[in-house]
Amino acid sequence: MAFDFDLFVIGAGSGGVRAARFAAGFGARVAVAESRYLGGTCVNVGCVPKKLLVYGAHYSEDFEQASGFGWTTGEPSFDWPALIANKNREIERLNGIYRNLLVNSGVTLLEGHARITDPHTVEINGQTHTAEHILVATGGWPQVPDIPGKEHAITSNEAFFLEALPRRVLVVGGGYIAVEFASIFNGMGARTTQIYRGPMFLRGFDQGVREHLRDELTKKGIDLRFNANVARIDKRADGTLAATLEDGSVVETDCVFFATGRRAMLDKLGLENTAVKIGKNGFIEVDDEFRTAEPSILAIGDVIGRVPLTPVALAEGMAVARRLFRPAEYRKVDYALIPTAVFSLPNIGTVGLTTEQAREAGHEVKLYESRFRPMKLTLTESQEKTLMKLVVDAKTDRVLGVHMVGPDAGEIVQGMAVALKAGATKQVFDDTIGIHPTAAEEFVTMRTAVA
């Protein structure tokens, strides 16, 4: 059978664009369908605009600390609409870059909702297109629990387009998105409460990291409440909201922001017309090479529910393009030692095993920790502390995990990830000369184990 395309990609997010571009570069005939915005969640309503808002929120601390270095400033004021307008212009610029990347690579860009009608056919804008391979890369979508008054809540999708900064915000959730937005709203001057249904937020992160961030966020004035959850939301005549918690208490607020998980975006995709299987968790089931139960259909990124990070989706997209059209260069995606950051204030950077994971895996663990006040803060009244931590296998001396809470943690831990990927031991860290004076040098000067 002659197909219109060798590869038809549904979704022009990070993973889909990477797969499409490189497949086209390998000589394949490629089409991409996108119904919303080029660049996907990360560029439009995810990591890129979020980090711009984090930068904006951090300026409140910079203004406060400037006097310790001799600067006298007037009373600072914050203009939320100006920040959002500037953010929108930057996102529009990035949308244009993604468009050019696709078009200049020879990819056919189709804008509209794509629906799979059979294992080799996609319908979009009333026209059908056939393809030897179909790649689903439609990403995820935030979800709000089905509680009374849920229509009064917002998610990260809407937060980026609020017309005004709420005076009071209730953040619901305990993942990285919840922690980051609690820092954003708090840093910009909103009275912020964050609640989480469990005993401690950031499940899966090192316990010491979680506790350290809890203490730092509390210092900054965020009202953290654990073992709490919202039962209902009521809107009052004056437009304010009353969030009733499961214990009967009420939080008066102007905005309820839910960050309680994301689902695979599979709406009206037509997967029922194929043999593709959806797991109990709602994500598409794939094998190690991203093939679904339908041989001609593959899936990558957030829709498969593995590691929902942009760089991971990029790696998966590259792997698909290589396996299909440049097999001599193909190699499987390595999910070990993936570094990640949480852009809370202060930031978290982490790579490798947590203390708990290392012990559960049977390692005899040695821990090295350093807690200190960053040099930048020594001339200010800020009492923020940085945490740096190494998890080491006592028998092999190999560094199993690197964890940090503090300014620029993501920037620092990215380099540490290279060391761990190369199999660095604690002795290698000890033998490495530090850059002085920096916070990063602490990672190569910790000599005494704390446990």
Side-chain angles (χ1 to χ4, degrees):
M1 177 179 178
F3 297 104
D4 299 327
F5 297 100
D6 301 309
L7 177 66
F8 194 108
V9 181
I10 303 178
S14 300
V17 168
R18 175 62 63 89
R21 285 178 55 216
F22 278 84
F26 296 152
R29 297 167 302 150
V30 183
V32 170
E34 176 53 60
S35 61
R36 286 189 179 83
Y37 27 56
L38 299 178
T41 294
C42 180
V43 168
N44 294 275
V45 288
C47 32
V48 172
K50 171 197 67 185
K51 194 167 185 184
L52 293 175
L53 266 59
V54 169
Y55 283 139
H58 194 267
Y59 272 102
S60 62
E61 297 181 2
D62 289 338
F63 284 127
E64 187 176 326
Q65 295 162 7
S67 61
F69 292 87
W71 288 95
T72 301
T73 61
E75 185 67 27
S77 61
F78 174 64
D79 187 339
W80 171 271
L83 173 60
I84 297 304
N86 291 337
K87 178 268 298 180
N88 289 343
R89 278 194 293 274
E90 173 61 10
I91 300 310
E92 289 172 6
R93 184 184 73 84
L94 294 175
N95 290 154
I97 289 175
Y98 269 77
R99 181 180 298 276
N100 290 337
L101 285 173
L102 288 170
V103 174
N104 292 341
S105 298
V107 174
T108 300
L109 176 59
L110 304 170
E111 298 187 66
H113 182 79
R115 180 172 178 272
I116 300 171
T117 57
D118 69 42
H120 290 282
T121 308
V122 178
E123 180 183 17
I124 179 171
N125 299 329
Q127 293 187 318
T128 59
H129 306 271
T130 60
E132 183 176 2
H133 306 282
I134 297 172
L135 174 63
V136 178
T138 47
W141 200 254
Q143 53 187 355
V144 177
D146 190 15
I147 60 172
K150 63 180 287 187
E151 67 274 13
H152 303 309
I154 68 168
T155 68
S156 54
N157 282 1
E158 297 79 34
F160 291 113
F161 300 98
L162 288 172
E163 294 183 358
L165 176 68
R167 187 169 59 90
R168 302 166 299 176
V169 180
L170 172 62
V171 176
V172 185
Y176 68 94
I177 296 174
V179 168
E180 289 169 338
F181 270 94
S183 290
I184 289 169
F185 288 126
N186 182 68
M188 291 175 175
R191 197 166 75 202
T192 305
T193 300
Q194 181 182 356
I195 67 172
Y196 175 54
R197 64 184 179 180
M200 180 67 70
F201 54 24
L202 294 177
R203 182 165 51 91
F205 284 77
D206 188 271
Q207 182 68 14
V209 166
R210 300 163 77 192
E211 293 173 355
H212 188 88
L213 186 68
R214 173 201 62 196
D215 296 344
E216 294 303 321
L217 295 185
T218 301
K219 286 182 191 176
K220 293 177 186 290
I222 297 177
D223 180 8
L224 292 176
R225 306 186 191 183
F226 298 117
N227 296 309
N229 206 4
V230 176
R232 64 176 297 118
I233 305 169
D234 294 292
K235 189 169 185 177
R236 295 184 168 160
D238 61 0
T240 62
L241 302 175
T244 302
L245 307 188
E246 290 178 347
D247 64 2
S249 62
V250 177
V251 177
E252 307 282 348
T253 188
D254 301 296
C255 174
V256 179
F257 173 98
F258 269 89
T260 49
R262 297 174 66 85
R263 63 178 178 85
M265 190 57 181
L266 304 175
D267 300 0
K268 300 178 181 179
L269 191 56
L271 293 181
E272 67 276 7
N273 299 320
T274 73
V276 173
K277 294 182 179 178
I278 308 298
K280 293 181 180 179
N281 56 5
F283 296 96
I284 294 177
E285 294 183 353
V286 296
D287 63 14
D288 289 344
E289 296 183 333
F290 310 105
R291 293 173 294 204
T292 70
E294 184 68 69
S296 61
I297 299 179
L298 306 99
I300 60 170
D302 290 6
V303 292
I304 65 174
R306 286 185 178 172
V307 183
L309 296 171
T310 294
V312 174
L314 292 172
E316 292 171 347
M318 177 68 82
V320 166
R322 282 175 169 159
R323 187 181 68 80
L324 294 180
F325 306 110
R326 191 66 67 83
E329 298 178 7
Y330 171 69
R331 52 186 178 273
K332 289 187 176 181
V333 176
D334 183 0
Y335 292 97
L337 297 172
I338 296 173
T340 190
V342 180
F343 294 106
S344 49
L345 294 173
N347 300 170
I348 295 173
T350 181
V351 61
L353 299 182
T354 67
T355 306
E356 296 73 33
Q357 290 168 342
R359 287 173 174 158
E360 288 172 6
H363 295 282
E364 182 183 334
V365 174
K366 293 177 73 173
L367 300 178
Y368 297 82
E369 281 189 8
S370 179
R371 298 173 192 262
F372 57 93
R373 196 170 170 217
M375 185 177 181
K376 182 181 177 181
L377 301 182
T378 56
L379 300 186
T380 76
E381 297 192 6
S382 173
Q383 297 303 309
E384 180 182 307
K385 293 285 185 70
T386 289
L387 166 67
M388 291 183 169
K389 183 173 185 177
L390 296 177
V391 181
V392 178
D393 186 310
K395 293 182 179 179
T396 65
D397 198 44
R398 183 166 180 170
V399 179
L400 303 173
V402 175
H403 310 279
M404 176 179 173
V405 182
D408 299 316
E411 307 288 347
I412 293 172
V413 169
Q414 176 67 82
M416 297 298 161
V418 177
L420 264 65
K421 204 73 172 172
T425 62
K426 181 62 169 63
Q427 188 62 56
V428 169
F429 274 63
D430 293 345
D431 292 343
T432 301
I433 295 175
I435 302 172
H436 184 75
T438 65
E441 69 178 314
E442 289 291 318
F443 275 126
V444 297
T445 58
M446 291 185 277
R447 296 290 187 265
T448 304
V450 298

